[in-house]
Amino acid sequence: MSFLNSVGELVGSVVAVALLLVLAVISFFVTIFIVDAGASLAGLNPGDDFVTLAAAVLTAGAIVGGASPLTAIAGTESA
């Protein structure tokens, strides 16, 4: 049964990674729309490369911030 448990955990990990990648791509596209709309509201007309760079930095920051454990923010350590 140990082999079947290992295979099940591997399949679960692969599904989780695939889902996180899909959600990251969707988040990136939504962030591009938000950055572009915000620049338009501010009266700016940035190039596509700057909008993409800003969206990439914001998305990466959100992913890294979401991946960090909340116990580090609270100042407590998990056992």
Side-chain angles (χ1 to χ4, degrees), residues 4 8 10 15-16 18 20 23 28 32 35 37-40 45-46 54-55 61 64 72 77:
L4 290 177
L10 179 64
V15 169
L20 288 175
L23 290 175
F28 178 67
I32 283 180
V35 169
S40 297
N45 191 12
V64 169
E77 293 185 19

Side-chain angles (χ1 to χ4, degrees), residues 37-70:
S40 297
L41 288 174
L44 302 174
N45 191 12
D48 293 339
D49 51 351
F50 288 113
V51 172
T52 305
L53 177 64
V57 169
L58 289 171
T59 303
I63 291 171
V64 169
S68 64
L70 294 177

Side-chain angles (χ1 to χ4, degrees), residues 11-27 63:
V11 169
S13 296
V14 169
V15 169
V17 166
L19 182 63
L20 288 175
L21 284 174
V22 168
L23 290 175
V25 170
I26 292 171
S27 171
I63 291 171

